[in-house]
Amino acid sequence: MFFQSLRTQYSAGVFSRLRMPVGGVLVLLSLISTAAWAEPAPVKCAQALTAEQVRGTVGATLKVLALQTAEAGVTECTWSRTVGAESGGGPMIRVQFFERVAISANPVVSSPDGYYEMIASAAEEIAGRKREAVTGLTGAGNRAATVQGSVQILLLVQRADGIARVVLSGLTKAQATAFARAIAGA
């Protein structure tokens, strides 16, 4: 009985100090519950290359192993059939999407055209091969190129909202071209 009267006195003291209107409490609770159930914002790399586009091009279901934000305006997605895909266990697609905000914040090259050239030139130097332009892209200002490495293909796609840098393992050049068209048309 002592605890019940103490609890009642304590509760009365706490509630008497609260001066928030009932409407304010309801709004606060509604915001908390909405935030708890809200879906996370879509990751740009997964929007640039969707599961349906991957399935349509590769013909197999690849699982997104990683979705992450590397820095503000840069997202990374890794699509793979198996965890060991990087070591030859199956196809692997790694997409890095650089939004315009990230490109403009770059201290070296801050224009989309310059950023595209910087990535493409570095890939050419590393691979020891020249890039090959992908033709037949939709959308004004879109462009794409592939650079064939010894075991991987680098695909670079520039579109109005940013640049996609895609590293492909275990896939063909025709599949890389299909991905370029899918990303450019997105």
Side-chain angles (χ1 to χ4, degrees), residues 76-177:
E76 296 181 31
C77 301
T78 301
W79 301 84
S80 182
R81 182 175 305 171
T82 62
V83 176
E86 295 170 3
S87 60
M92 190 268 306
I93 304 161
R94 181 169 290 143
V95 179
Q96 252 185 329
F97 195 86
F98 302 91
E99 294 180 54
R100 291 182 69 93
V101 66
I103 294 168
S104 64
N106 187 293
V108 178
V109 180
S110 59
S111 73
D113 290 336
Y115 206 77
Y116 179 94
E117 286 301 322
M118 178 183 70
I119 295 172
S121 296
E124 289 174 329
E125 188 175 320
I126 291 168
R129 297 183 181 148
K130 293 290 183 188
R131 71 186 98 161
E132 294 180 37
V134 176
T135 59
L137 300 181
T138 60
N142 287 350
R143 65 177 170 162
T146 60
V147 178
Q148 178 68 53
S150 58
V151 294
Q152 295 178 330
I153 300 171
L154 174 76
L155 169 62
L156 193 58
V157 181
Q158 181 178 354
R159 52 188 220 182
D161 60 342
I163 296 173
R165 178 184 175 274
V166 185
V167 177
L168 305 163
S169 295
L171 297 167
T172 66
K173 188 160 181 177
Q175 289 169 319
T177 301

Side-chain angles (χ1 to χ4, degrees), residues 4-5 16 19 22-23 25 27 47 65 67 71 74 77 87 89 92 101 107 121 138 152 161 164 173:
Q4 185 177 10
S5 66
S16 68
R19 302 273 186 228
V22 173
V25 171
V27 168
Q47 290 176 325
L65 296 178
L67 292 171
E71 58 189 69
V74 181
C77 301
S87 60
M92 190 268 306
V101 66
S121 296
T138 60
Q152 295 178 330
D161 60 342
K173 188 160 181 177

Side-chain angles (χ1 to χ4, degrees), residues 20-35:
M20 184 181 285
V22 173
V25 171
L26 292 176
V27 168
L28 180 63
L29 290 175
S30 132
L31 289 174
I32 291 171
S33 66
T34 302

